[in-house]
C-alpha cells in the first residue's frame, strides 16, 4: 500500500485542490477565530510576540490556533489515515523520514529516493498547515500534527478512525532544542529570547502546544488504552536501538519487514538514508526552504542541529536541571512513564 507524496509547498497543494475547498466553511472558521481571539489569555511568544491559551494549550494566535479550529470543526479522517504526532523538537524530522521510507520502501529505490531531494516535512502534510486541502489527497494518507491528543476531534480519537505514531524526548533536550530553533525563526524586530526566559516559560507550560508534560501524557495514556491505535516511541530508544524501533514501526504501520528484507539489509538501508549525517548533508536540506504559510518560511537547515541525546545538559545550570527533573517527577507520578531509554 503506497502513500501519497505531496508537494513540499503547502501553497502549491492549496492551488491544486482549490476547487474542493468550501469557502463557507473557511469563513465560518475565520469568524469563530476572530470572535474568540480577543478574550484568550496571552503569554510571551517564542517565535512570535505572544502565544494564546486555547482549551488549556498554548498556541501561536494565527497559524496554530486557526489550523486547530479548522481541524476540530471540519477535518474528515479516514480509517486508513496514519498521523505522526509530536511536540515540537522531539524528533519530528527523523520520525517523518523513517515512517515515509518504511511504508514506501517497495515504491522507491534508495538511489533515487524522494528524501534525497525533499525535506522530510515535505513528504507528510502538516494537519494544521494544510487542513483545507487534505480531502483531495488519495488514500491512504500519511499526515503529521503537533496537536495534543486531548484537543483532536472525536472523529480521530474516540471513534478511532486514525492510527497515531508518537515520539517523546527528555524535556531538558526539548527545551534547549526548541529555544535555539525558535530564536532562529524569531522576527528581527523582536529581541531574542534568553535561555533564562525560555526556561521559565517552558516550566510554566507556556510554549507552542504546551505544557509539554500534558502533551506527552495525552498520547501516553491513549497508547495504554488503545495500543493498536497509538504507537508510543522514545527518542532515546530510537537513538540507542534504531533497527529495533524501525521494525516496531513497520509492524504497527502494517508494513512488517520480512525475513528476506532483514537478511538483505533493508532496515539498515532505511536507517542510513534517514540518518542525521545523511539528511543534514543533502543539498536540499542545506539550501532550500519549507513554506508552511505566507508568514512561516523555514530554512531546511534549521531542522538539523545535532540530533544527540543529553545535549540539553550542556546549556542548563544544575539548578535548572533540578527544577525540570522535579516538575517531570511530579507530572509523571503514577503514569508509569519514564523519559529516556
Amino acid at each position: 500500500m503506497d502513500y501519497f507524496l505531496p508537494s513540499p509547498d503547502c501553497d502549491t497543494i492549496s492551488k491544486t485542490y482549490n476547487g474542493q475547498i468550501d469557502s463557507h466553511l473557511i469563513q465560518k472558521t475565520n469568524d469563530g477565530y476572530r470572535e474568540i481571539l480577543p478574550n484568550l489569555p496571552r503569554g510571551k511568544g517564542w517565535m512570535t510576540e505572544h502565544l494564546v491559551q486555547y482549551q488549556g494549550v498554548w498556541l501561536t494566535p494565527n497559524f496554530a490556533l486557526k489550523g486547530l479550529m479548522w481541524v476540530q470543526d471540519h477535518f474528515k479522517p479516514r480509517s486508513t489515515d496514519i498521523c505522526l504526532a509530536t511536540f515540537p523538537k522531539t524528533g519530528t524530522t527523523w520520525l517523518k523520514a523513517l515512517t515515509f521510507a518504511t511504508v514506501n520502501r517497495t515504491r522507491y529505490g534508495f538511489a533515487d529516493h524522494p528524501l534525497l531531494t525533499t525535506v522530510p516535512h515535505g513528504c507528510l502534510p502538516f494537519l494544521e498547515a494544510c487542513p483545507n486541502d487534505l480531502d483531495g489527497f488519495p488514500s491512504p494518507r500519511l499526515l503529521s500534527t503537533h496537536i495534543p491528543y486531548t484537543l483532536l476531534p472525536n472523529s480521530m480519537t474516540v471513534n478511532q478512525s486514525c492510527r497515531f505514531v508518537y515520539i517523546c524526548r527528555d524535556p531538558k533536550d526539548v527545551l534547549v532544542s526548541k529555544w535555539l530553533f525558535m530564536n532562529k525563526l524569531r522576527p528581527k524586530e523582536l529581541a531574542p529570547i534568553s535561555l533564562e526566559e525560555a526556561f521559565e516559560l517552558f516550566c510554566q507550560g507556556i510554549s507552542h502546544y504546551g505544557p509539554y508534560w500534558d502533551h506527552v501524557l495525552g498520547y501516553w495514556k491513549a497508547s495504554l488504552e488503545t495500543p493498536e491505535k497509538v504507537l508510543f516511541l522514545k527518542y532515546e530508544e530510537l537513538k540507542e536501538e534504531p533497527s529495533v524501533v524501525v521494525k516496531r514501526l513497520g509492524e504497527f504501520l502494517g508494513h512488517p519487514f520480512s525475513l528476506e528484507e532483514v537478511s538483505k539489509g533493508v532496515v539498515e538501508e532505511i536507517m542510513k538514508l534517514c540518518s542525521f549525517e545523511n539528511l543534514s548533508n543533502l543539498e536540499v536540506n542545506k539550501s532550500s526552504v519549507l513554506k508552511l504559510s505566507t508568514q512561516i518560511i523555514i530554512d531546511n537547515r534549521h531542522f538539523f542541529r545535532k540530533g544527540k541525546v543529553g545535549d540539553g545538559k550542556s546549556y542548563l545550570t544544575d539548578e535548572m536541571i533540578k527544577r525540570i527533573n522535579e516538575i517531570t517527577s511530579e507530572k509523571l507520578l503514577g503514569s508509569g512513564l519514564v523519559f529516556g531509554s
Side-chain angles (χ1 to χ4, degrees):
M1 185 180 291
D2 293 333
Y3 283 76
F4 180 65
L5 174 63
S7 161
D9 184 334
C10 284
D11 279 359
T12 301
I13 296 173
S14 183
K15 292 174 183 176
T16 302
Y17 298 108
N18 188 55
Q20 301 182 28
I21 299 175
D22 190 323
S23 59
H24 174 71
L25 294 181
I26 293 176
Q27 186 62 47
K28 182 179 179 181
T29 297
N30 289 341
D31 290 344
Y33 167 79
R34 284 191 291 267
E35 181 180 348
I36 68 168
L37 184 61
N39 301 316
L40 294 178
R42 291 191 176 195
K44 186 178 179 65
W46 297 52
M47 182 177 67
T48 54
E49 185 175 2
H50 61 267
L51 298 174
V52 294
Q53 190 180 41
Y54 179 69
Q55 297 181 356
V57 175
W58 292 94
L59 305 162
T60 50
N62 189 357
F63 176 78
L65 174 58
K66 191 179 292 185
L68 169 61
M69 293 178 67
W70 174 272
V71 171
Q72 289 180 332
D73 293 340
H74 308 300
F75 176 63
K76 299 175 183 177
R78 302 173 189 167
S79 60
T80 54
D81 286 345
I82 293 175
C83 190
L84 273 62
T86 61
F87 187 86
K89 310 312 296 177
T90 57
T92 306
T93 305
W94 193 15
L95 183 60
K96 284 185 176 183
L98 288 170
T99 300
F100 184 81
T102 296
V103 300
N104 288 298
R105 63 183 184 272
T106 61
R107 183 181 182 186
Y108 303 114
F110 292 109
D112 57 351
H113 203 280
L115 286 171
L116 298 175
T117 55
T118 306
V119 68
H121 298 280
C123 293
L124 283 80
F126 192 53
L127 205 53
E128 299 92 296
C130 311
N132 302 344
D133 318 293
L134 297 177
D135 285 348
F137 286 6
S139 295
R141 300 180 297 187
L142 266 181
L143 310 172
S144 65
T145 187
H146 287 320
I147 298 175
Y149 190 82
T150 52
L151 265 63
L152 291 169
N154 288 343
S155 57
M156 295 180 71
T157 57
V158 176
N159 299 339
Q160 300 181 356
S161 296
C162 303
R163 280 182 292 164
F164 295 90
V165 179
Y166 186 80
I167 190 167
C168 74
R169 189 180 187 184
D170 187 291
K172 296 182 286 295
D173 289 350
V174 176
L175 161 61
V176 169
S177 183
K178 187 179 178 76
W179 166 61
L180 292 169
F181 180 77
M182 292 300 178
N183 262 338
K184 293 173 183 176
L185 306 184
R186 195 168 168 84
K188 294 181 180 179
E189 59 268 23
L190 299 178
I193 291 185
S194 68
L195 177 56
E196 291 72 21
E197 283 182 293
F199 173 78
E200 288 298 330
L201 290 170
F202 189 81
C203 289
Q204 294 171 32
I206 305 176
S207 63
H208 301 76
Y209 299 93
Y212 175 61
W213 297 271
D214 295 353
H215 197 287
V216 173
L217 284 172
Y219 283 94
W220 169 250
K221 292 175 181 177
S223 74
L224 297 179
E225 295 169 358
T226 54
E228 73 282 1
K229 288 292 184 179
V230 183
L231 176 64
F232 191 94
L233 303 176
K234 297 180 181 180
Y235 183 85
E236 293 78 12
E237 291 179 346
L238 185 54
K239 291 288 291 185
E240 187 174 323
E241 295 185 302
S243 62
V244 174
V245 177
V246 169
K247 290 175 186 176
R248 281 182 62 200
L249 183 63
E251 188 76 29
F252 178 80
L253 296 172
H255 293 262
F257 290 90
S258 66
L259 292 177
E260 182 181 4
E261 286 180 310
V262 173
S263 65
K264 288 184 177 180
V266 175
V267 175
E268 286 71 20
E269 285 290 339
I270 288 176
M271 289 160 45
K272 180 180 177 181
L273 171 68
C274 302
S275 69
F276 178 88
E277 291 72 23
N278 182 55
L279 292 179
S280 62
N281 284 298
L282 294 174
E283 186 59 35
V284 67
N285 294 327
K286 292 194 294 185
S287 59
S288 297
V289 300
L290 177 73
K291 187 175 182 181
L292 290 176
S293 69
T294 54
Q295 293 83 27
I296 304 178
I297 302 174
I298 305 173
D299 288 342
N300 288 347
R301 59 189 172 87
H302 293 331
F303 293 116
F304 305 91
R305 190 176 68 88
K306 290 185 178 180
K308 294 183 178 181
V309 171
D311 185 58
K313 294 180 180 179
S314 302
Y315 294 82
L316 304 175
T317 64
D318 290 342
E319 290 75 15
M320 289 176 171
I321 293 173
K322 179 181 178 182
R323 184 175 170 191
I324 286 187
N325 287 343
E326 289 175 346
I327 295 174
T328 298
S329 296
E330 179 184 339
K331 293 286 188 177
L332 302 189
L333 182 65
S335 68
L337 175 63
V338 178
F339 284 118
S341 57

